[in-house]
Amino acid sequence: MTKSESACSATISQFRPTLTGPIHSKYSLVCTGCFATYYDDRLKCNSDSALLRAKYSSRQLMLKDVPGMGKFHDWLPVNEIITSDSGPITYKSTELAAELGLNNLYISFNGYWPERGAFIKTCSFKELEAFPTIQKLKNTGRSLVLASAGNTARAFAHVAGMTGVKVYIVVPESGMSRMWLPEEPTDFIHLIQMGKNCDYTDSIHLAERLSSLPGMLAEGGARNVARRDGMGTVMLDAAFYMKQMPDHYFQAIGSGTGGIAAWEASLRLLEDGRFGSRLPRLHLAQNLPFAPMYHAWEAGRREILKDIDMPDPKKLIHEMYADILSNREPPYSIGGGVYDALCSTGGMMYGISNSEAKAAQQLFERYEGIDIFPPAGVAVASLIEAVNSQKIDAEKHILLNITGGGVKRLEMDYSPHRIEPAAYAENAHVPLEEIITKKVLADGKPRAKGR
Ligand SMILES: *Cc1c(COP(=O)(O)O)cnc(C)c1O
Ligand SMILES: [Zn+2]
């Protein structure tokens, strides 16, 4: 810590940011490693590999009078207000809370549940990442490239289709069953299906190659502040609803980007001054047997050691119930990433078995009356474990992030449409000409350069 701090002060005084992109006054990007400030949109610091974080000119968050996530406009890195009814909702649990003996259990529901005012029609909090990311791209003429195991693909396809931005989405075969939309898919969506032996990480590698083509832009994953601050609205919504920050925050993670986002949102709420003076403790859960961050954290390591923390990853991933929580290269060790978020908040991690996740999912559905996704079951299981091992006090304010759900509820109102693949890729190394036709390449030519 002291070592990097002294390295940082040197970097700050030497550093002069280069202004290459659009300059905006709403926010700047500050490196979490060396504190260099950038006034253009970018994914990386010039001097180190730490995450950049948005610093907003509004220290206090004033809600805008719109439905959905647009109300948090002050702390989203977009210039135009997002007008969609899609956003996180918070409510106080009575049934599950009573079952667990908790007096202040709050649920952030990210999915479709109109009775509670929840209108995320692709049914996961990935949609909170998609809106600001695509909003930024809208008038650049560029196409977005991303990898997804399912929920991200649906979210970005939905928002891109609505907004008129082209997306190329690389999906492992195991994710294909999740490729549906509540509406008819538009021509803006290009799905690339990968071969049988590929997992999510192979999709990431192919997406990286695609994004180097002219006119294409990588969405940036955890490095994309629009993604993180979009997800951070879960914490913001909860803080406004509870009139304070929660004491504890529970979430299932695969990459941990949502955990980082919750931490960053609470740092801003701390500075805001109206929501308390202590950061919520992060309780982040992975699904065994594939739980590299859990193993590294339990061993007290900032580094993930492949041989120890994730031996034979493809086999382990195959055995997971919540298999979308399988990222082989999560932003854990990186400056400003999951490890730092856990350290900063006195956080902890959980390794949840398939049977625990399934039982918790059923328990939640029975008591709260809405269907949820397997990862959300993992989060509920971690809350149950925390209660059973007396890690949390019954009076404390707890925020349980239900990261996805309401598909069964959605099917009562909409009939989902399948998104058909536009191309197949046997592995991450196939020649790009095989999966991207000349016509597509021509379409993708940039109208304006720069971002
Ligand atoms: C992506 C996802 C997660 C994990 O989120 P990260 O914070 O990015 O690891 C959890 N639940 C659902 C439903 C998801 O789609
Ligand atoms: Zn830096």
Side-chain angles (χ1 to χ4, degrees), residues 134-144 164-168 188 213-217 440-451:
I134 288 174
Q135 170 87 272
K136 291 181 82 68
L137 215 77
K138 211 164 115 186
N139 301 314
T140 65
R142 296 183 123 190
S143 306
L144 192 65
V165 167
K166 261 187 230 142
V167 279
Y168 293 84
F188 295 107
L213 294 173
M216 303 282 198
L217 195 70
V440 169
L441 266 176
D443 283 354
K445 282 268 158 58
R447 263 185 269 135
K449 230 186 147 36
R451 191 191 168 188

Side-chain angles (χ1 to χ4, degrees), residues 254-306:
S255 74
T257 312
I260 302 169
W263 171 48
E264 294 178 319
S266 53
L267 287 169
R268 291 186 187 113
L269 290 167
L270 197 73
E271 272 204 46
D272 179 300
R274 294 172 293 171
F275 300 94
S277 54
R278 259 215 314 270
L279 292 175
R281 292 181 90 161
L282 297 188
H283 298 256
L284 306 178
Q286 293 210 279
N287 184 192
L288 297 167
F290 183 82
M293 289 186 270
Y294 165 69
H295 292 306
W297 177 256
E298 288 299 299
R301 272 187 271 106
R302 176 184 273 272
E303 269 66 48
I304 291 174
L305 303 178
K306 290 202 166 115

Side-chain angles (χ1 to χ4, degrees), residues 360-420:
Q361 183 182 11
Q362 281 167 13
L363 187 82
F364 185 95
E365 293 183 346
R366 188 161 70 242
Y367 284 106
E368 296 297 317
I370 187 76
D371 61 293
I372 61 173
F373 281 147
V378 170
V380 177
S382 67
L383 175 61
I384 294 171
E385 188 181 317
V387 168
N388 289 343
S389 58
Q390 288 158 355
K391 286 194 181 106
I392 46 174
D393 188 280
E395 292 306 319
K396 293 290 185 199
H397 284 66
I398 296 158
L399 180 62
L400 171 62
N401 188 347
I402 296 298
T403 45
V407 176
K408 290 189 185 138
R409 178 65 192 81
L410 185 91
E411 282 168 354
M412 293 164 62
D413 295 351
Y414 295 85
S415 31
H417 301 256
R418 289 202 55 74
I419 315 175
E420 297 303 332

Side-chain angles (χ1 to χ4, degrees), residues 34 44 60-61 74 87 93 118 185 202 239 257 261 289 335 341 354 367 417-418:
C34 69
K44 279 190 174 144
Q60 288 205 321
L61 175 60
D74 285 352
S93 163
D202 297 306
T257 312
N354 288 348
Y367 284 106
H417 301 256
R418 289 202 55 74

